[in-house]
């Protein structure tokens, strides 16, 4: 049962690796907050995701980042590579 719940509430983040933009695709259409951290734990982005669910990352240095997405009391996280 928990596997189905997880699959129904997942977030797709693409492309990975990214150059200019990240796209976020949710099963739930409510608003979401995105936070990006570098591997030193420093928060480099914190903002509400716009309606098109696209985030510009062209200003970030190349490297690996950890994302945290907060939506309806749930947190989704993962890694993204910026080229």
């Amino acid at each position: 049962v928990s596997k189905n719940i997880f699959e129904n509430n997942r977030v797709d983040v693409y492309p990975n690796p990214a150059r200019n933009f990240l796209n976020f695709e949710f099963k739930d259409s409510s608003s979401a907050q995105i936070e990006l951290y570098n591997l030193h734990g420093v928060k480099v982005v914190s903002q509400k995701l716009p309606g098109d669910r696209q985030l510009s990352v062209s200003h970030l240095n190349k490297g690996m980042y950890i994302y945290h997405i907060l939506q309806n009391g749930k947190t989704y996280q993962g890694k993204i590579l910026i080229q």
Side-chain angles (χ1 to χ4, degrees):
V1 173
S2 61
K3 182 179 179 186
N4 291 337
I5 290 170
F6 176 76
E7 287 175 356
N8 289 338
N9 292 313
R10 61 183 213 150
V11 176
D12 291 324
V13 181
Y14 60 92
N16 190 5
R19 291 183 192 271
N20 298 314
F21 290 96
L22 283 175
N23 296 292
F24 298 88
E25 192 172 304
F26 298 91
K27 302 300 180 206
D28 182 345
S29 63
S30 60
S31 65
Q33 177 81 15
I34 178 75
E35 295 176 345
L36 280 180
Y37 296 84
N38 66 21
L39 293 183
H40 299 291
V42 177
K43 189 186 302 182
V44 295
V45 172
S46 180
Q47 71 177 61
K48 184 177 176 183
L49 273 177
D52 64 1
R53 306 284 193 197
Q54 193 174 71
L55 178 71
S56 173
V57 294
S58 59
H59 65 285
L60 297 175
N61 292 327
K62 293 178 181 181
M64 187 69 68
Y65 292 84
I66 308 295
Y67 64 83
H68 291 254
I69 299 168
L70 303 118
Q71 185 186 46
N72 292 334
K74 295 181 179 127
T75 302
Y76 306 96
Q77 58 187 15
K79 294 179 183 176
I80 193 80
L81 179 64
I82 307 297
Q83 289 188 329

